[in-house]
Amino acid sequence: MAGYICGRNPASFSDSSFSSFDEGISYQASKCHILDLPDELLVRIFGYFLPVEDRLPSLGLVCRKWKRVLSYSGSLWRILYVNPTPNAHIHYSLISTILKLYGHHVHKLIWRDNSPVYESIFSLIQNLVNLKHLRLPILWNSCIVESLKGLKDLEAVQLNGGFSLVDSDLEKIAEYFPKLREVSLNACWGITSSGVVTLFRMLENLQNVNLKINSGLPLEDPRSEDSMREGARIVLALRYTIFASMIGVLCLHFVPIEMDELWDVVNKMTNLKKLSISNCENLHGIRLVSDSLQKVCLYNLWNVLFVSIDGTDLRNLTIDGGMESMEHLEIYAPKLRRAVVNGSNILRTVGIRSKKLSMLEMSNCEELELTSFRDLLKMNSTLMSLKLGCVSQDSLLLDELIIPNLQELCLLGDFSCEALHIRSPTLRLFHTESETDIITLNHVYITANHLCKVAMVGMPALKTMTVQCVSVDSIELNLCSDDQLLLDSCIIQALGSIGFLRLFDCKLNLLSVSTPLARTVVLYRCHVSDYVLQMALNGCPNISNLNLEKCKNIKQISIEAPPLKFLNMFGCRDIHRLDLDCPELIALNIGQCPNVRLFIKGIEQELSDLGGIVMPSESVRWSHDFPPQVYMCS
């Protein structure tokens, strides 16, 4: 059936019929030009460009038609995100152009935090008469409020007040922007509970409120004490008003609130989605029950002894550092997907019950009970990604009974076990956290089916590594490290194949590679004896690309590998005899090998008579790709 088109056999078409068909298409295409496209189609095409990142205004320089389409197509300019690039002067110049020419189309203007808002650009924002959503990283005060009072259609605004915004300014905001439906009070340290309640009562269309109490509060300021006390009054005053059900985000920092008060506040806020708490010294425990909470973040609560959360809709949980007294953590959240727990080296028991947990990060848990940790993994069989730091044991075993569906295992910088045994048929990725050294791990044993990647960096104490699997796509060891790794044994067994094996700066007392097929094997600057290397090659004769670059202590080696196509011995200065029996060999690199003698099937060869060879006097290096790429070495 695949050989027929429209019920006819392709053989029935003659060359002349195909020729006339192609000529017809070419003729029609020659009559059509992009400038002939209707305006609606041009708008659809331009809609794939972002106003700032893709420099959409520059299209108006092509022709008058495009300039007209850009001017009258409001949908192209509805949302404007400002995220300055390294070329900030060009970025801000483009923003100014957009606000001048197309500002009347902009409905939503969002500025990235900690980015400057220059006065010349701010003066243009005042003229955006159709603006509905505004978020600027500036401190609001009476002057800012007066400057923006012309934006009568504002429906959502974020107020960063500091000590500059006071209650009288809140009243003006309610007067100047009567259509506000969403208000975010962020770091407004100078307002009071009466001012906040008055603001909300004056806004008849108010639907959503985000409260970030005392975010970034400067403790060295003498006014900070008043801000702390007033922050608690704001939260406690709102809990008994109709506005409690409008609060979607609540962040409490340096707020003197107690456990029963927090319980009452969260219960009254029936639409609360996100809760963040830090530096609240009066909290000695956290117990919450909520049907609306989706994200919880707790940190720097040094007096909290326990955390217990029952959240039927909770999706994301973060227990960060500074929980210096928390010994017990209990979470019941059927929809929880991601949990990050920093035990602050005091956590003893943890229980997380979820039906959908897929990512778990555990760190600084040196006091965690072993049974509690194992039960945690068993109760969450849906776990697919595990990031593991310090746990209270010397040898850690993770098998298919504990992690039946685990696909990724990442070792964090504070991982403290001496031996790690992993036996999981679903494991795909095993790696270490970048730019950290795990100084305790001596032994790694991995048993899996199909491994996509094993990448171990920053393990200066590693002595033995064993990988047993059906197949593995990539294994990388000790990359980007200045220290030589001393390995007593490195054993890799794959029943099917090894795609890419790369070891950097390793001293290998035993190297065993056993697989029917290995595509690329790289030993870069490795210290390996002739015998150890010979035994490794004998166990894996079917290599397509072998790279032994800068393994200077190799003196003589015999390679019998029928499928070998590329052999790189660049920089192996000590080698003096190379025996090859590789009928498929395409290229050989023996650059900077001054004393090498080449034998093919026992017969010494004259190098000048052979092709496809990088001579000993040359400095041509190869990459580790397959096939390798050539680049010059200075």
Side-chain angles (χ1 to χ4, degrees), residues 74 78 140 167 175 218 269 288 339 435 443 457 513 533 569 599:
R78 290 284 187 262
W140 285 63
D167 291 352
E175 178 184 350
M269 298 179 180
L288 300 175
E435 300 181 0
H443 312 284
V457 180
V513 181
L533 179 59
M569 304 290 297
F599 292 80

Side-chain angles (χ1 to χ4, degrees), residues 144-430:
I144 298 294
V145 175
E146 292 292 339
S147 300
L148 298 177
K149 66 179 181 180
L151 307 180
K152 299 292 186 181
D153 292 332
L154 267 185
E155 296 180 358
V157 67
Q158 176 177 299
L159 304 177
N160 308 299
F163 288 114
S164 302
L165 196 70
V166 295
D167 291 352
S168 58
D169 298 324
L170 294 181
E171 295 181 11
K172 291 182 179 179
I173 290 174
E175 178 184 350
Y176 294 155
F177 314 121
K179 297 182 180 180
L180 280 177
R181 303 172 60 187
E182 180 178 337
V183 176
S184 296
L185 296 177
N186 181 38
C188 297
W189 311 320
I191 61 177
T192 67
S193 57
S194 60
V196 173
V197 173
T198 301
L199 169 66
F200 293 166
R201 285 176 178 170
M202 293 178 65
L203 296 175
E204 298 180 355
N205 300 316
L206 189 63
Q207 296 180 359
N208 299 310
V209 175
N210 296 334
L211 280 180
K212 299 182 180 180
I213 306 295
N214 292 338
S215 296
L217 181 67
L219 298 183
E220 67 277 5
D221 194 294
R223 296 170 290 182
S224 62
E225 289 289 340
D226 295 332
S227 299
M228 293 180 190
R229 287 192 294 268
E230 201 57 47
R233 294 191 186 104
I234 292 174
V235 176
L236 298 178
L238 289 175
R239 61 177 168 169
Y240 293 123
T241 66
I242 60 172
F243 309 112
S245 61
M246 299 180 184
I247 297 177
V249 175
L250 179 62
C251 300
L252 303 178
H253 308 287
F254 300 102
V255 174
I257 191 172
E258 297 183 359
M259 185 177 72
D260 56 342
E261 294 174 333
L262 179 63
W263 167 278
D264 195 26
V265 166
V266 173
N267 284 345
K268 293 294 191 301
M269 298 179 180
T270 54
N271 289 312
L272 187 63
K273 298 294 189 294
K274 176 182 177 181
L275 176 64
S276 176
I277 308 175
S278 74
N279 300 288
C280 297
E281 61 181 358
N282 289 355
L283 273 178
H284 295 281
I286 295 178
R287 190 183 302 277
L288 300 175
V289 176
S290 173
D291 294 331
S292 62
L293 268 179
Q294 296 183 5
K295 184 175 183 179
V296 173
C297 180
L298 308 174
Y299 60 99
N300 286 344
L301 300 173
W302 51 87
N303 287 330
V304 169
L305 299 174
F306 68 92
V307 173
S308 176
I309 301 176
D310 187 337
T312 55
D313 207 31
L314 188 63
R315 315 293 177 86
N316 192 310
L317 171 70
T318 300
I319 307 293
D320 216 331
M323 309 291 287
E324 299 175 0
S325 301
M326 184 186 68
E327 296 186 355
H328 308 286
L329 174 65
E330 186 72 26
I331 305 295
Y332 176 74
K335 298 181 181 179
L336 185 67
R337 296 181 179 274
R338 183 179 185 272
V340 176
V341 179
N342 185 329
S344 299
N345 290 327
I346 197 67
L347 186 66
R348 294 184 179 276
T349 63
V350 56
I352 299 178
R353 287 173 288 176
S354 171
K355 297 179 180 178
K356 297 185 178 181
L357 186 65
S358 60
M359 184 274 181
L360 174 64
E361 178 177 326
M362 299 283 295
S363 62
N364 296 305
C365 296
E366 67 177 9
E367 298 295 330
L368 184 64
E369 296 177 1
L370 176 59
T371 55
S372 178
F373 177 64
R374 293 177 66 88
D375 290 342
L376 168 65
L377 297 180
K378 287 181 179 179
M379 286 190 299
N380 296 278
S381 59
T382 57
L383 192 64
M384 299 177 65
S385 175
L386 176 61
K387 297 183 178 181
L388 198 57
C390 177
V391 291
S392 57
Q393 45 199 313
D394 294 332
S395 180
L396 179 62
L397 170 62
L398 300 175
D399 58 23
E400 60 273 18
L401 298 179
I402 302 176
I403 49 171
N405 295 298
L406 191 69
Q407 296 186 9
E408 176 189 6
L409 177 60
C410 174
L411 303 185
L412 303 179
D414 65 315
F415 187 81
S416 59
C417 298
E418 294 182 4
L420 175 63
H421 301 253
I422 311 165
R423 187 170 66 246
S424 172
T426 60
L427 188 66
R428 297 291 181 266
L429 174 61
F430 174 77

Side-chain angles (χ1 to χ4, degrees), residues 39 42-47 49-51 55-78 97-98 101-105:
D39 293 355
L42 284 175
V43 173
R44 185 72 177 272
I45 295 174
F46 294 164
F49 294 90
L50 298 176
R55 301 185 180 183
L56 186 58
S58 60
L59 297 180
L61 302 176
V62 175
C63 62
R64 292 181 179 178
K65 180 177 181 179
W66 285 19
K67 182 178 180 180
R68 175 176 55 79
V69 169
L70 292 175
S71 299
Y72 292 100
S73 302
S75 61
L76 300 176
W77 314 100
R78 290 284 187 262
T97 300
I98 293 176
L101 300 180
Y102 313 106
H104 56 286
H105 293 307

Side-chain angles (χ1 to χ4, degrees), residues 107-137:
H107 285 183
K108 189 173 185 178
L109 177 61
I110 297 180
W111 219 277
R112 193 192 69 178
D113 291 342
N114 302 319
S115 300
V117 181
Y118 298 111
E119 187 175 350
S120 58
I121 294 182
F122 182 75
S123 62
L124 298 175
I125 296 176
Q126 305 172 29
N127 301 322
L128 305 181
V129 294
N130 293 316
L131 193 64
K132 298 182 183 299
H133 189 123
L134 177 63
R135 191 178 76 186
L136 294 176

